[in-house]
Amino acid sequence: MIKALYEETKQLHDLVTGEAPKGEADREAYLERVNEHLSKRDALLAEASTAGTFTAEEQKLGEEMTKMNQVIDARMERVLASWKKDVQQLKAKKQSNKLYQNPYAEPASDGVFFDQKN
């Protein structure tokens, strides 16, 4: 059971540390594969947590899985940050295009002068 959990973690590690997808279709496929590995690993983790004691070899595999999990977490954070940045850039580009198409839709903030008398 621990060996299967290790293999699933190794596959997820290899997937995550590989090349990040660029296109939207590639991102969808990438997310599906990551979710598939995560759900399999979650089921195996649930089984492993109910098991009793572990052998020395299984403990060594557990330590290696912990190291791989740290790499997986860090890589997934970077990928998520990259995707968030892409979404923000897309929103800014949409706003810019909207202003370009209809420049008088929003009030202009430059060139305004208010005369104040007390």
Side-chain angles (χ1 to χ4, degrees), residues 20-72:
K22 299 292 181 199
E24 187 151 337
D26 293 337
R27 286 181 183 174
E28 291 292 326
Y30 179 80
L31 278 177
E32 286 177 18
R33 289 195 318 257
V34 167
N35 281 334
E36 181 180 309
H37 286 296
L38 286 174
S39 64
K40 286 180 185 177
R41 198 173 79 146
D42 190 37
L44 290 170
L45 268 171
E47 288 179 27
S49 66
T50 60
T53 59
F54 300 112
T55 64
E57 180 185 343
E58 290 174 339
Q59 288 179 352
K60 184 178 178 183
L61 289 176
E63 290 172 7
E64 289 180 33
M65 284 189 287
T66 302
K67 291 176 185 176
M68 282 192 287
N69 200 35
Q70 291 173 348
V71 172
I72 291 169

Side-chain angles (χ1 to χ4, degrees), residues 97-115:
N97 285 341
K98 192 185 292 184
L99 286 175
Y100 180 75
Q101 289 174 353
N102 191 2
Y104 302 109
E106 308 240 346
S109 61
D110 57 340
V112 177
F113 176 74
F114 292 104
D115 187 17

Side-chain angles (χ1 to χ4, degrees), residues 85-97:
K85 182 180 174 185
D86 289 347
V87 168
Q88 288 174 347
Q89 287 176 344
L90 182 63
K91 285 181 180 180
K93 194 180 288 186
K94 282 183 178 181
Q95 182 68 23
S96 174
N97 285 341

Side-chain angles (χ1 to χ4, degrees), residues 12 16 30-31 34 38 71-81:
L12 179 62
V16 169
Y30 179 80
L31 278 177
V34 167
L38 286 174
V71 172
I72 291 169
D73 288 344
R75 178 67 178 160
M76 290 303 293
E77 287 293 326
R78 277 186 271 154
V79 168
L80 181 62

